[in-house]
């Protein structure tokens, strides 16, 4: 299918091959599909389903399986692990009064987060274009994912991260996969500003979600869910919001699926931010008439972002889906993480914002009894072992989260026991009683 870059603000178009991150007017760019010449929805469905038994990497990938709606890249340039095809779990809908509740676990991707879906597309395109180096700013997961895909593509990788504010698992990945890791004395927003400037002046390929190819890959979270649910989508899709790449990608996926006739009814997006990093939720309160960035702070370091670059695309997504944006406290995030962890879904704090937000939206009667919802679990539990262990061992005070002390009652810390089997058996019997 033919594609071009199109500005979401003024509608100017550019060839797909242009090395540009923004329109001349400063607006964000979309990869625009030629909808008029798209295959019919039955033909697309048949093509996507026919790839399921295939063992080719481009068919095994839960991203490239949908390549007609993602990007045309020669197979030899594709950098794929493969990624995607993550599991979709059923949760108990009854406590929330819902008819159905699912969790799609994007933490099951090769580097443990949804970023791999976008990264396979951005890095494949970069390789196709002959990129000399790849760069990103990151709260951790983007850097882990880029480090991995860059290593597979044999292209040097530079990542900028806010010093001391990324979870240990993510830092470990970036270092282990050989990325040049630059820790800055500033926030993610400062790092994002720096990489955007450098990318243009120093011919470095930026792969943050400002890169429109990233978002084409992330659309497949929605496509995958649609096929896993038997060609339907629930009433609500709940996603955490940081830089708002997923929000934007989901909106674009739904716009295209509606235009292609894959869906008739558009699910509503619910974007959940941490209260201390909630510029999008604040802007939503007056229907996006004003936007103000903020100094972010939250235990969910993945979404510790005060000036999201994809704002305009995210507003489009909320408008198209009659979506809502809300925020939750860090204590609510930790409670939800505890509850998901105990169901062995397990996730990092940012992902748990989805359940916390859904709880809030049902309390506020925005999500109504009998409706169905899908939580997008964005990152793996092992990404943030420090927070997970603090929570599981009743050390929430060490996390500096107000109002989380009640969670300490659920602590499950390791007990010191002697090595004598009789004594250990006695303890086990006592626990089972
Ligand atoms: N959840 C996780 C686990 C993330 O890592 C991120 C973003 C988000 C949610 C928010 O997604 O930006 O699309 O709204 N992490 C980026 C990073 C910013 O650098 O890893 P978004």
């Amino acid at each position: 299918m033919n594609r071009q870059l199109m500005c979401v603000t003024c509608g100017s178009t550019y060839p797909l091959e242009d090395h540009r991150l923004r329109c001349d007017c400063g607006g964000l760019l979309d990869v625009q599909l030629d909808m008029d010449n798209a295959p019919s929805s039955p033909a697309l469905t048949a093509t996507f389903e026919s790839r399921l038994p295939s063992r080719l990497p481009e068919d095994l990938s839960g991203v490239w399986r949908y390549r007609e709606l993602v990007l045309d890249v020669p197979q030899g340039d594709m950098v794929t692990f493969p990624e995607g095809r993550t599991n979709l779990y059923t949760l108990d809908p009854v406590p929330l009064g819902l008819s159905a509740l699912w969790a799609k676990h994007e933490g099951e991707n090769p580097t443990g987060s949804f970023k791999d879906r976008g990264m396979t597309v951005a890095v494949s395109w970069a390789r196709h274009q002959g990129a000399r180096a790849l760069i990103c700013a990151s709260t951790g997961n983007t850097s882990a994912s880029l480090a991995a895909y860059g290593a597979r593509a044999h292209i040097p990788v530079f990542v900028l991260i806010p010093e001391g504010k990324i979870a240990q698992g993510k830092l470990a990945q970036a270092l282990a996969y050989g990325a040049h890791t630059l820790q800055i004395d500033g926030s993610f927003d400062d790092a994002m500003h720096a990489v955007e400037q450098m990318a243009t002046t120093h011919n470095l390929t930026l792969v943050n979600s400002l890169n429109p190819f990233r978002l084409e890959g992330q659309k497949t979270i929605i496509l995958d869910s649609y096929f896993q649910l038997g060609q339907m989508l629930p009433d609500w899709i709940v996603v955490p919001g940081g830089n708002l790449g997923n929000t934007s990608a989901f909106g674009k996926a739904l716009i295209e699926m509606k235009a292609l006739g894959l869906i008739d009814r558009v699910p509503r997006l619910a974007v959940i931010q941490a209260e201390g990093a909630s510029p999008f939720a604040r802007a939503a309160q007056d229907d996006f008439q004003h936007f103000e960035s903020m100094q972010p702070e939250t235990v969910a370091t993945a979404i510790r972002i005060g000036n999201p670059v994809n704002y305009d695309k995210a507003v489009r997504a909320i408008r198209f889906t009659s979506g809502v944006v809300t925020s939750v406290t860090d204590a609510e995030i930790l409670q939800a993480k505890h509850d998901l962890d105990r169901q062995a879904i397990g996730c990092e704090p940012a992902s748990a914002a989805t359940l916390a937000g859904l709880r809030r939206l049902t309390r506020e009667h925005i999500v109504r009894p009998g409706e169905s919802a899908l939580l997008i679990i964005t990152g793996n539990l092992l990404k943030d072992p420090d927070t997970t262990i603090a929570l599981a061992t009743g050390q929430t005070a060490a996390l500096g989260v107000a109002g989380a002390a009640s969670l300490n009652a659920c602590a499950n810390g390791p007990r010191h026991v002697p090595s004598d089997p009789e004594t250990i058996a006695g303890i086990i019997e006592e626990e089972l009683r």
Side-chain angles (χ1 to χ4, degrees):
M1 246 195 280
N2 279 334
R3 290 174 169 82
Q4 59 184 352
L5 297 173
M6 181 184 265
C7 175
V8 303
T9 306
C10 74
S12 295
T13 59
Y14 303 94
L16 205 59
E17 293 74 17
D18 262 22
H19 291 280
R20 56 164 63 239
L21 286 168
R22 289 185 187 267
C23 176
D24 288 341
C25 81
L28 299 170
L29 296 171
D30 259 343
V31 173
Q32 181 79 12
L33 288 167
D34 176 9
M35 288 295 190
D36 295 340
N37 293 306
S40 68
S41 67
L44 280 171
T45 300
T47 305
F48 299 156
E49 295 289 54
S50 74
R51 292 179 180 144
L52 277 176
S54 165
R55 295 203 170 270
L56 295 173
E58 63 268 35
D59 294 339
L60 280 170
S61 165
V63 173
W64 297 107
R65 176 186 163 201
Y66 308 108
R67 50 192 173 270
E68 285 74 8
L69 299 183
V70 175
L71 191 68
D72 291 322
V73 183
Q75 203 272 339
D77 286 333
M78 269 182 201
V79 188
T80 174
F81 273 74
E83 49 291 305
R85 282 208 195 184
T86 54
N87 285 305
L88 199 145
Y89 298 100
T90 304
L91 301 179
D92 183 2
V94 175
L96 287 170
L98 302 175
S99 58
L101 178 60
W102 296 280
K104 179 142 177 82
H105 209 321
E106 288 299 300
E108 294 172 354
N109 272 294
T111 78
S113 83
F114 71 91
K115 303 287 178 180
D116 297 341
R117 290 190 187 255
M119 209 54 78
T120 184
V121 181
V123 173
S124 297
W125 184 248
R127 176 148 90 175
H128 183 58
Q129 298 276 84
R132 71 175 184 123
L134 307 167
I135 190 165
C136 73
S138 184
T139 58
N141 280 323
T142 303
S143 58
S145 182
L146 173 60
Y149 282 82
R152 299 293 292 175
H154 305 291
I155 306 175
V157 166
F158 294 84
V159 304
L160 266 71
I161 54 174
E163 183 147 22
K165 295 292 182 188
I166 87 166
Q168 287 295 298
K170 305 173 188 180
L171 179 61
Q173 287 178 291
L175 299 174
Y177 301 146
H180 301 275
T181 303
L182 312 172
Q183 308 198 74
I184 70 154
D185 192 11
S187 67
F188 166 84
D189 301 296
D190 300 322
M192 188 64 231
H193 183 69
V195 291
E196 190 180 344
Q197 295 234 314
M198 288 185 295
T200 341
T201 51
H202 288 78
N203 185 23
L204 303 166
T205 300
L206 179 81
V207 298
N208 281 99
S209 50
L210 185 59
N211 176 324
F213 298 95
R214 267 272 310 272
L215 300 189
E216 292 307 285
Q218 287 171 215
K219 289 189 315 192
T220 62
I221 297 173
I222 302 297
L223 287 162
D224 242 5
S225 304
Y226 170 78
F227 284 103
Q228 282 170 310
L229 290 171
Q231 296 177 39
M232 73 92 170
L233 287 169
D235 297 312
W236 290 91
I237 297 174
V238 190
V239 63
N243 219 10
L244 304 176
N246 263 342
T247 304
S248 304
F250 292 7
K252 188 167 188 286
L254 294 168
I255 290 170
E256 290 169 0
M257 288 170 80
K258 179 83 171 31
L260 290 164
L262 285 166
I263 51 172
D264 303 324
R265 191 186 50 84
V266 177
R268 298 179 72 183
L269 283 183
V271 177
I272 318 298
Q273 297 205 290
E275 218 165 73
S278 55
F280 192 49
R282 290 183 188 190
Q285 281 171 5
D286 69 353
D287 195 29
F288 307 111
Q289 295 308 304
H290 302 97
F291 172 80
E292 236 179 276
S293 62
M294 61 192 284
Q295 274 302 326
E297 199 50 81
T298 167
V299 71
T301 51
I303 50 174
R304 190 174 172 275
I305 295 174
N307 193 14
V309 291
N310 291 298
Y311 179 79
D312 290 337
K313 288 182 180 177
V315 171
R316 173 179 69 180
I318 295 300
R319 294 233 156 98
F320 179 73
T321 65
S322 309
V324 298
V325 191
T326 193
S327 63
V328 289
T329 64
D330 278 2
E332 288 175 301
I333 289 176
L334 290 182
Q335 174 75 59
K337 173 172 158 57
H338 171 270
D339 298 340
L340 287 166
D341 286 354
R342 287 295 164 94
Q343 293 174 71
I345 298 298
C347 61
E348 63 170 288
S351 312
T354 53
L355 178 59
L358 182 63
R359 284 175 171 161
R360 177 167 285 225
L361 293 171
T362 51
R363 268 200 315 274
E364 292 172 352
H365 306 292
I366 295 168
V367 173
R368 289 188 301 271
E371 292 192 309
S372 57
L374 168 64
L375 307 177
I376 307 301
I377 305 297
T378 46
N380 196 288
L381 176 146
L382 297 173
K383 290 281 191 173
D384 192 347
D386 294 345
T387 305
T388 299
I389 290 176
L391 181 58
T393 57
Q395 317 274 316
T396 55
L399 298 172
V401 174
S406 62
L407 281 168
N408 293 344
C410 314
N412 182 35
R415 275 172 73 175
H416 180 79
V417 297
S419 59
D420 155 47
E422 271 308 304
T423 316
I424 299 173
I427 292 168
I428 292 172
E429 291 302 337
E430 197 182 298
E431 291 286 347
L432 288 173
R433 206 167 293 144

